[in-house]
Amino acid sequence: MDGIAGIAARMAQIQALVAPPQAAPLTTSTSTFASALADEVAKTTGSTGNVASAAGAARAGASGAPARLNADGVPVELARYGNGRIPESALQKVGGTGERLWAPAAQKLEQLMGAAAKDGVHIGITDSYRSYAAQVDVAQRKGLYSQGGLAAQPGTSEHGWGMAADLKLDAAGQRWMRAHGAEYGFVKDTPRESWHWAFRP
Ligand SMILES: [Zn+2]
């Protein structure tokens, strides 16, 4: 921890040096700061890791992809594909299941399921990423929210962005999710669907 505390202290010093209040635009000071930080990290840890990996790790925790949303609340790296039109290769499998989600959501859900299992609680997945065509099918079978049903308008579902999973939960599983889901970024945002959990990074 001394190393990390040392880096934090040096970061503050470097920031003061390279980004005084009257200094250049943020982009300039940020990149200057980034390279100074990289040097400092390499000195302190003896590693040759670059600042991109250091910054990525800081953003996402010890492991995992960075979770960034655009102004529409959509994963930055998936936005170009469109809701329900994301190729499998751009999504990540949730552990050993065949289910796929946006990478940060998949990683957190895998961690969540592991933690629940340690508590003796089994959490299964019944649905995850959903294609546009699959959402059309669900809407036909379950009806739209706007008409009292249980499906989002195709093209608007959180499933279409790989940001929600439908979970198979018994009573213990429901209790566990309500107690711990948010620790992994999963929240219940759909009142009538106890199974639907959305990822909010
Ligand atoms: Zn759902």
Side-chain angles (χ1 to χ4, degrees), residues 71-163:
D72 297 324
V74 166
V76 167
E77 68 270 32
L78 302 181
R80 69 178 182 275
Y81 297 115
N83 186 299
R85 306 193 186 279
I86 304 168
E88 271 197 357
S89 60
L91 298 165
Q92 185 170 320
K93 277 187 186 167
V94 182
T97 73
E99 306 291 334
R100 288 175 190 265
L101 289 173
W102 177 37
Q107 289 159 13
K108 286 295 184 185
L109 185 53
E110 185 177 352
Q111 290 171 20
L112 179 157
M113 290 165 75
K118 276 187 190 160
D119 290 345
V121 175
H122 176 74
I123 292 177
I125 307 174
T126 58
D127 206 0
S128 48
Y129 168 73
R130 198 182 286 156
S131 70
Y132 186 91
Q135 185 67 30
V136 169
D137 177 62
V138 169
Q140 283 170 351
R141 287 187 290 108
K142 298 189 171 179
L144 295 174
Y145 289 133
S146 57
Q147 296 161 12
L150 290 173
Q153 180 75 38
T156 68
S157 172
E158 292 168 329
H159 288 285
W161 291 117
M163 295 178 70

Side-chain angles (χ1 to χ4, degrees), residues 3 7 31-32 35 42 47 61 68 88 121 126 146 157 161 172 186 200:
I7 291 170
S31 79
T32 308
S35 64
S47 91
R68 286 172 295 132
E88 271 197 357
V121 175
T126 58
S146 57
S157 172
W161 291 117
F186 282 87
R200 295 273 185 275

Side-chain angles (χ1 to χ4, degrees), residues 13-69:
Q13 292 170 8
I14 294 164
Q15 209 153 21
L17 284 173
V18 303
Q22 74 276 22
L26 183 62
T27 48
T28 306
S29 61
T30 299
S31 79
T32 308
F33 171 63
S35 64
L37 173 60
D39 292 347
E40 205 58 32
V41 168
K43 262 191 273 174
T44 309
T45 64
S47 91
T48 54
N50 64 33
V51 71
S53 65
R59 206 164 43 232
S63 67
R68 286 172 295 132
L69 301 178

Side-chain angles (χ1 to χ4, degrees), residues 130 159 165-166 193 195-196:
R130 198 182 286 156
H159 288 285
D166 292 341
E193 299 185 359
W195 57 86
H196 180 98

